[in-house]
Amino acid sequence: MEITLVPGDITEQQVDAVVNAANSSLMGGGGVDGAIHRRGGPEILEECRKLRASPFGKGLPTGQAVATTAGRLPARWVIHTVGPVYSRSEDRSGLLASCYRESLRVADELGARSVAFPAISTGAYGWPMDDAARIALEAVRQAHTQVEDLRFVLFDAAAYAVFEARL
């Protein structure tokens, strides 16, 4: 598997699957989640509503992943995963690593060979970028996956520099 870093907007990635740093409701939100829902269009929200109607009636649990169509994005699928909120008093790093492992498991089930990840939990959920990069890179390097092209799409230069130093 080749791991690359890409500066820019994850909604512009031409890959098999884009990973969404979703909230547990799967109904859209801010940051990456909002951008994916806005650019991907109503098809994504429609499939998320169906997921909420049956298997995930109480929402998607933290650290888990599920796929929907990518709607109008230049990808085939969106893999939604719910990252943990950072806590200084509780070690939630296993949940953050699970987001990456579970997203790759879902990618393998779909047959996706190229996947674009954001830096999960580093926005509104407050995870420090350096620690998040360490956890993300360790998790994907240790994963047994058929994904060949794995990209971390980083929105700003500071995030890119942190991931670059860790890579």
Side-chain angles (χ1 to χ4, degrees):
M1 167 179 51
E2 181 179 356
I3 299 173
T4 57
L5 306 179
V6 178
D9 184 346
I10 198 165
T11 67
E12 297 174 355
Q13 294 300 301
Q14 294 185 2
V15 290
D16 293 331
V18 169
V19 175
N20 181 18
N23 63 51
S24 64
S25 76
L26 297 175
M27 295 292 123
V32 170
D33 193 20
I36 285 173
H37 275 269
R38 280 189 303 277
R39 177 113 190 253
E43 299 87 351
I44 297 172
L45 185 57
E46 183 179 325
E47 286 195 20
C48 286
R49 283 191 176 123
K50 289 177 185 173
L51 288 169
R52 285 297 306 270
S54 56
F56 299 106
K58 294 181 181 178
L60 184 64
T62 302
Q64 298 299 305
V66 65
T68 65
T69 181
R72 300 172 188 163
L73 295 173
R76 295 178 65 191
W77 302 285
V78 173
I79 299 173
H80 306 267
T81 189
V82 180
V85 174
Y86 179 72
S87 170
R88 288 187 175 153
S89 62
E90 180 184 349
D91 181 9
R92 298 179 179 168
S93 57
L95 287 170
L96 183 55
S98 180
C99 291
Y100 293 96
R101 286 191 307 269
E102 286 296 303
S103 295
L104 289 172
R105 180 190 59 76
V106 170
D108 286 341
E109 288 176 359
L110 295 168
R113 294 295 174 258
S114 56
V115 177
F117 279 98
I120 299 167
S121 288
T122 60
Y125 287 6
W127 209 286
M129 189 63 70
D130 187 60
D131 194 43
R134 177 188 61 79
I135 293 166
L137 289 165
E138 283 178 11
V140 300
R141 284 178 174 142
Q142 293 172 2
H144 300 288
T145 182
Q146 299 302 308
V147 171
E148 298 164 357
D149 171 10
L150 189 146
R151 304 174 193 179
F152 284 98
V153 182
L154 304 156
F155 192 71
D156 62 31
Y160 187 95
V162 170
F163 268 76
E164 186 175 43
R166 286 278 179 184
L167 188 60

